[in-house]
Amino acid sequence: MNVTLELIKENGSVSSEDRILSFAFEKNAYIPYTRLSVSFISGELFFTSVAEIKLIIDGKTVHHGLIDTIKSRQHDSRIIVRLVSKGFTSLLCRNQIEPGLKTGISLNSLMDSFYTIPYVTHEDNSDVSNYIYVRKNTSMWDAVSNLSYKLLGTYPYIRDENRVMITPYPTPSEFTYEISERMAVGYEYDYTRMASNYHMADINGEYGHYELQDNDVLDKKIVRHEYSDLDMRFLYSPQTALEYRNKFDTRGKMAVYCEYIGYRGEDLFDIMRFSSSSYGRIKSMRITGNSKGVFTKVMRYTDKFV
């Protein structure tokens, strides 16, 4: 496969690197950005003016992000560079909104009215919530998550390189993995985040009014009690705050995955299929590459979100 790295400088000039030693790309429905780590051989030692990075596989841009770290080392006449990058949607986690009540908010108005973040786009969705409540130190992503759940009961995710989505992708591609194509299939279970009991105070700070118990968690002999103040984001339905917290804590609790050689162009919320009865939306993907080739792992989750 043809794997290329594009380094884009502050002035817009582009240099391509194809002597890639290894890379690892990750995308997950519950992480608001893509992540890339890559090592390559370069003809340059200094990278002070590099502002953007793209990873392109067979003509498809799978990652476009800003630079977290660059480390270059010259040894035996070779310059080896190690670079770490997050997609531009990671900036949604680092930009805060003024606290308070925001009325008549849609995804369109939320994404278009506060900050302009490079290369970040969003689905066209003008469905309006009566209001969202923005707590102190709330990030743009937190506000999007609040709105997404209030409107649709969903958790937002990133499609393409930097496109924010709150609805399941309406025209997904379907990928079937035949037995002869698979390197491995398997299951993963993650119970580390799950809590058994949630307790939330009322407007007077008193507990005992808003409670939620997850019996499925208790059945696994996990006992974890969490106490919180009244969540002002859910004043319209305080019990919903506990339901949201419970869903978020059980995200990705069970997964089935497939590993294969190459990369076929999958994206989040496309459909992965093993057989006529085993299929679902892709919620996580990892693409790695080294001297042995390119390898992809796609995963679907069974949890409480759509």
Side-chain angles (χ1 to χ4, degrees):
M1 303 195 77
N2 184 20
V3 181
T4 304
L5 207 61
E6 286 191 353
L7 305 179
I8 305 166
K9 297 183 179 180
E10 295 167 1
N11 62 8
S13 62
V14 180
S15 61
S16 295
E17 303 283 355
D18 56 9
R19 292 180 293 174
I20 297 173
L21 299 174
S22 64
F23 73 89
F25 165 83
E26 295 178 271
K27 196 172 191 178
N28 188 294
Y30 298 122
I31 298 174
Y33 46 82
T34 57
R35 296 186 287 197
L36 173 68
S37 59
V38 59
S39 298
F40 59 95
I41 298 173
S42 177
E44 297 185 43
L45 185 61
F46 301 102
F47 294 87
T48 54
S49 62
V50 174
E52 309 168 35
I53 182 79
K54 288 184 178 181
L55 178 69
I56 302 169
I57 303 178
D58 281 353
K60 177 181 174 66
T61 301
V62 298
H63 175 84
H64 184 195
L66 64 163
I67 306 299
D68 278 353
T69 61
I70 301 180
K71 299 179 181 180
S72 59
R73 179 173 182 263
Q74 187 168 7
H75 179 70
D76 292 339
S77 74
R78 285 203 322 175
I79 298 173
I80 296 178
V81 182
R82 291 179 173 83
L83 184 151
V84 177
S85 168
K86 292 188 184 74
F88 281 97
T89 52
S90 63
L91 294 173
L92 295 171
C93 303
R94 299 297 299 272
N95 283 277
Q96 297 179 355
I97 300 177
E98 181 182 0
L101 201 65
K102 311 296 180 184
T103 59
I105 290 289
S106 67
L107 180 66
N108 290 353
S109 63
L110 178 60
M111 292 294 298
D112 298 337
S113 299
F114 291 94
Y115 304 106
T116 300
I117 299 178
Y119 308 110
V120 173
T121 62
H122 59 87
E123 70 170 279
D124 182 10
N125 193 313
S126 58
D127 293 346
V128 173
S129 169
N130 289 336
Y131 73 91
I132 61 170
Y133 184 83
V134 177
R135 300 179 296 184
K136 186 178 179 181
N137 300 325
T138 291
S139 69
M140 282 281 290
W141 183 257
D142 289 337
V144 171
S145 302
N146 182 8
L147 178 66
S148 178
Y149 193 76
K150 190 172 184 182
L151 286 175
L152 301 164
T154 59
Y155 192 80
Y157 64 98
I158 305 304
R159 177 85 185 182
D160 305 320
E161 298 110 89
N162 290 286
R163 185 183 181 193
V164 177
M165 301 286 297
I166 63 173
T167 60
Y169 192 64
T171 56
S173 298
E174 185 173 312
F175 297 88
T176 300
Y177 306 98
E178 305 292 348
I179 294 176
S180 59
E181 300 174 304
R182 308 171 197 164
M183 288 176 55
V185 295
Y187 290 85
E188 295 182 3
Y189 304 86
D190 186 351
Y191 305 141
T192 56
R193 294 180 290 261
M194 299 192 325
S196 59
N197 296 82
Y198 299 83
H199 314 271
M200 189 174 70
D202 64 13
I203 194 70
N204 298 314
E206 297 178 355
Y207 290 94
H209 298 284
Y210 305 118
E211 309 278 333
L212 187 148
Q213 178 171 292
D214 191 325
N215 291 320
D216 291 337
V217 176
L218 287 172
D219 287 345
K220 297 186 183 303
K221 314 306 178 188
I222 298 171
V223 179
R224 297 185 184 124
H225 287 255
E226 294 185 356
Y227 284 80
S228 62
D229 295 333
L230 180 65
D231 193 334
M232 301 294 287
R233 298 174 301 172
F234 294 91
L235 274 180
Y236 64 94
S237 176
Q239 191 67 25
T240 303
L242 302 182
E243 294 167 2
Y244 171 77
R245 213 164 281 177
N246 175 245
K247 285 184 178 182
F248 191 66
D249 287 348
T250 57
R251 65 194 184 277
K253 69 175 182 178
M254 191 193 85
V256 59
Y257 67 84
C258 173
E259 296 177 347
Y260 69 93
I261 298 174
Y263 170 59
R264 293 167 56 180
E266 298 94 334
D267 205 341
L268 295 187
F269 278 73
D270 283 337
I271 294 173
M272 56 183 290
R273 182 184 294 274
F274 297 135
S275 66
S276 59
S277 60
S278 179
Y279 63 93
R281 298 270 190 168
I282 295 172
K283 295 292 186 72
S284 178
M285 52 189 293
R286 178 177 171 87
I287 311 169
T288 58
N290 52 39
S291 60
K292 297 180 180 180
V294 174
F295 307 89
T296 298
K297 179 180 180 179
V298 290
M299 183 178 293
R300 61 177 174 86
Y301 291 143
T302 298
D303 57 27
K304 297 184 178 183
F305 280 110
V306 175

